[in-house]
Every structure is written in C-alpha cells, then in structure tokens.
Amino acid sequence: MMSPVGYTSFTGSAPDNVWGEVTQLFVEAFTAEPYNEDAIDLATIRQWGPEHLGHRGGRLVIATVDGRIVGFALAHGLDADPAWLGILAQLADSSSTASAALARPADAVVVHELAVAEDQRGRGIARGCLAAVLQDRTETQTFIGVYERATEAAAMYRSWGLSELGRVPMPGDAIALRVLTAPTTELVSRLRPTNPESARMIRRTLWLSPWEWDCCGGPLETGQRATFSVWPVDDGQRTWLTEAIGADLTAQIDGVEMHHEEGPAPERLTGRLAKLSRVSIPSRLIHTKRPLLPLGALPAARRLVGPPGSGVYIGIGAAVSDYVTHHETAPGPPVVEGTPRIPLTRGIDHPDAQAGAQAAAAEARAAAQRAEAAARAAQTTDPPPPGEVAPRLVGYLVELDLDAD
C-alpha cells in the first residue's frame, strides 16, 4: 500500500532545508524529457525561489511522502513579477483576459513553478499542490505557463479547466511558452474532485474530421473505450482550425485524429470517451456564375453514357443552370453542442452507414429537383438569393480520459 501524501504551506518564507530539497526535486524534474533544461540554471531556484516567495501573495506548498518532498508549487501575485507582466503584455492585443489582468494586476495570481518527482506521478500530487497553493486566495484569475513541447503537462492543465491564451517566445530561446488561465475559484473547485480516482485521470481533447472518421472509423458513444491515431496540432492545422472555428476553441485541442497518413501516428491513445461535441459554423449557400465550358464540350449534367448515337444521357435535362452553389461562412462564433453519440453516415456495413446512404440518396434527389428548378429559372431571372444562415458541421471535439498510471 502506498504511503499517504501530506501537504504543507509556507507564506512569505520557508526553512533553508526545505529549499534544499525543493531545489533537488526541481533539477531532477526539469533536466528530464521533454524539458532538457540546464541543471546549473535550474539550481539557481535556491536563490530566486525565496525572493519570489517573499513577493506579495507569495506561497510555497510542498507535498511529502514518508518525510521526503515529492512535489511543490510556488505562486505569488502578478503585480510582483515584471517578467510575467511582460508576457501578458504580448497577449493583450488578442486576449481580453490578459488585458484585464494588466489593468488590475493585484487581482491575478501566477503559479510560477509546479513539479512532482517522477516516481510519484499519477497519484494526483500536482493537482493537490496546485489546489493548496490557490486555496482561499483573494485574486480572481490564475495564470500558469508551460513550455510548448511539454504537451502532456499542457493537456493535464486543460483537463483541470485551464484554457490557453496563446504562446509567447522566451528571450534568447526558440521555445515558446504556453500561457494558460482560469478563474481562481472555479479552478480550485475542479482541483478537488469528489471522486479521488478522477485525480488519476488525464483528459485529452482531440479533433475529428467527419470525412476521415466516417470513411473507416466506427460509431462513438460517451462512456465507450476507444483508440485513436493522434497527430500534434502543427502550424498548418492550427491555421486552418483557427480560421474555421476560432483561436479560443483551437487552443483547447491537444491533437488531431488522422489515420490516412503514410507513416505511423506519433501517438496511439486509448481511453474512455468522457464527452463528445459537434462543432458547427454559421454558413449559407450562395450562387455564383458557372464558368463557360470550352467550345464543343458537354455540361457534366448532360454527359453521354450510352453508345454513340444512342442519345442516352445522365443529368437533369437540356436546361443547365448558369449558377453553381457552395457554402460561404457567415459572421458569428462556432456552435459547440454536446452529443451522446457520433454516428457514421457512410463507409462500412453498419446501420448508421445504411441510414446515412438513404438520407444522402434522398438529398441527392431533392438537390436534382432544386437544380432543375434553378436551371429553368436561370434562363429568365437573376441568381437565386443566398440561403438562410444555418449551422454547418465542420468537425467533432472528443474528450478522452487516459489513465495517468
């Protein structure tokens, strides 16, 4: 049976022997992957750590097991840290939360450091340290930073309810710092779960494209165990997602499910589906002038399919609309709707796919009728007016609970 974890809080100052153990743990934690920081630089926490603890709102929490320090968190007021004020200043133009914190820095707290010994991870110690260092604070907003390459740590913070404001390059370093935030009271309530086992879970939020999953995936339901091929959100994907669903929603995504790539996925994640959401964007159908066909070419809607001279064609008849339709994104935020199930619409022999095929056939028939009507109208009228603005499905958010052990 594992020994229990105890938590001790220090305000303003802490004994020298505590700082000695904290320094040792700090060096061991951050010289390892994925941080690979310099041990000599890390050891300077022995000097600057007590200084930060002495700042306004300074608090140090240590977690101990059998008398050994196995985790710690260090926090203080934002107004006492010029470096963090500079970090948030770089995000102020794109984040109202950052600009509000700069306007009232005494109303925000910075979690400067958080670390747990490698052999004690998976016990909820980081969660406990963070809850204790934020307990009963007067500041309404909490900020925490994590290096961009520390994807597991960022995913853990998001599972606790922190959201990413953006990334800030670090001075003299090619590494970017992810800045995450949450209202302090809400964060503390999430950090103290009613079910102790939930502290052992890490939640990852994945993006599923409908076409990719429909092709050769399967229906998904909350509570089900599932395995996904996951790729990191690279610059190209982040740009597309940001344009499609906005920066705030994109920041919540830890990886993209893809299984049509040539090489193996960097991660294969298995866990229990905690939450499924449909993501739609407001859009409408618009009509644009059809390009002229080359001389002698037949419209696609009138292409010959029988033997030469048979006169057998496919399509809607002799009248072809001068206009084509496509979706145009309309102003407005994305719509995120929770759903208990992601059904299939095509791809495999499954009732979902069969129902989807029937629905698609019905829609195709209706579209042909609309096209025929539009073709007749196009001979004498202007382009049809734009359609009504309505949500259009662009993807799914899948929240997957992974066992940290």
Side-chain angles (χ1 to χ4, degrees):
M1 181 177 177
M2 286 188 175
S3 299
V5 182
Y7 297 91
T8 305
S9 179
F10 301 92
T11 302
S13 64
D16 189 62
N17 66 306
V18 168
W19 281 114
E21 284 196 64
V22 165
T23 300
Q24 181 179 350
L25 172 59
F26 190 61
V27 171
E28 290 174 353
F30 290 102
T31 52
E33 293 284 350
Y35 304 97
N36 300 317
E37 294 190 56
D38 182 77
I40 295 176
D41 287 342
L42 292 168
T44 60
I45 191 176
R46 189 71 177 264
Q47 287 75 48
W48 59 258
E51 178 185 346
H52 281 261
L53 181 56
H55 288 333
R56 201 275 304 166
R59 184 183 294 175
L60 172 70
V61 170
I62 59 170
T64 56
V65 174
D66 296 328
R68 168 192 165 211
I69 296 179
V70 296
F72 80 94
L74 175 64
H76 54 69
L78 171 64
D79 53 335
D81 194 330
W84 260 96
L85 289 168
I87 288 170
L88 292 180
Q90 296 184 61
L91 298 172
D93 288 342
S94 59
S95 167
S96 59
T97 302
S99 60
L102 291 173
R104 297 183 301 276
D107 225 8
V109 57
V110 172
V111 179
H112 203 280
E113 300 296 345
L114 178 64
V116 175
E118 184 177 9
D119 65 332
Q120 296 293 316
R121 292 171 189 168
R123 299 185 63 186
I125 292 174
R127 187 178 193 138
C129 285
L130 188 57
V133 85
L134 296 176
Q135 187 69 38
D136 301 323
R137 297 196 69 101
T138 59
E139 299 94 344
T140 59
Q141 196 73 22
T142 296
F143 294 91
I144 190 168
V146 60
Y147 279 132
E148 187 171 29
R149 60 193 174 199
T151 54
E152 291 291 338
M156 180 177 68
Y157 295 150
R158 291 195 192 98
S159 74
W160 295 343
L162 290 114
S163 58
E164 186 172 324
L165 291 184
R167 293 167 171 81
V168 174
M170 300 304 292
D173 201 335
I175 303 170
L177 184 76
R178 300 172 186 255
V179 178
L180 298 102
T181 188
T184 305
T185 302
E186 292 180 17
L187 179 56
V188 171
S189 67
R190 292 179 186 228
L191 291 170
R192 295 194 179 280
T194 54
N195 174 14
E197 285 299 310
S198 66
R200 302 174 61 199
M201 305 302 293
I202 291 178
R203 181 168 294 183
R204 301 287 291 273
T205 300
L206 309 178
W207 175 262
L208 263 65
S209 295
W211 72 267
E212 180 130 18
W213 192 249
D214 281 349
C215 172
C216 42
L220 300 175
E221 296 182 359
T222 53
Q224 167 188 342
R225 290 190 65 80
T227 299
F228 299 96
S229 300
V230 179
W231 296 73
V233 186
D234 61 25
D235 290 342
Q237 290 162 337
R238 183 175 293 109
T239 298
W240 181 86
L241 285 167
T242 300
E243 291 176 351
I245 62 176
D248 290 343
L249 205 54
T250 299
Q252 300 176 28
I253 298 172
D254 301 307
V256 178
E257 192 283 332
M258 294 191 295
H259 51 266
H260 288 99
E261 302 300 303
E262 292 184 3
E267 290 184 288
R268 292 274 294 173
L269 298 183
T270 300
R272 192 169 302 279
L273 298 173
K275 184 177 180 181
L276 305 173
S277 300
R278 293 167 49 92
V279 182
S280 305
I281 58 175
S283 66
R284 59 187 172 189
L285 282 176
I286 63 169
H287 308 267
T288 55
K289 188 76 172 179
R290 186 186 300 276
L292 293 176
L293 292 170
L295 187 63
L298 282 172
R302 287 276 296 155
R303 200 164 300 285
L304 182 69
V305 294
S310 67
V312 178
Y313 293 87
I314 57 172
I316 60 172
V320 178
S321 172
D322 290 334
Y323 300 94
V324 294
T325 59
H326 59 89
H327 286 281
E328 178 185 68
T329 301
V335 179
V336 181
E337 301 172 297
T339 177
R341 192 166 188 265
I342 297 177
L344 289 182
T345 56
R346 57 186 171 84
I348 61 174
D349 186 17
H350 186 276
D352 281 342
Q354 296 170 5
Q358 293 171 357
E363 172 57 27
R365 289 192 295 271
Q369 293 170 356
R370 292 193 299 269
E372 184 174 4
R376 290 194 298 268
Q379 298 174 358
T380 56
T381 66
D382 292 331
E388 296 292 328
V389 174
R392 177 170 63 89
L393 177 70
V394 290
Y396 299 99
L397 291 177
V398 173
E399 297 184 32
L400 186 71
D401 277 342
L402 309 175
D403 194 333
D405 291 335

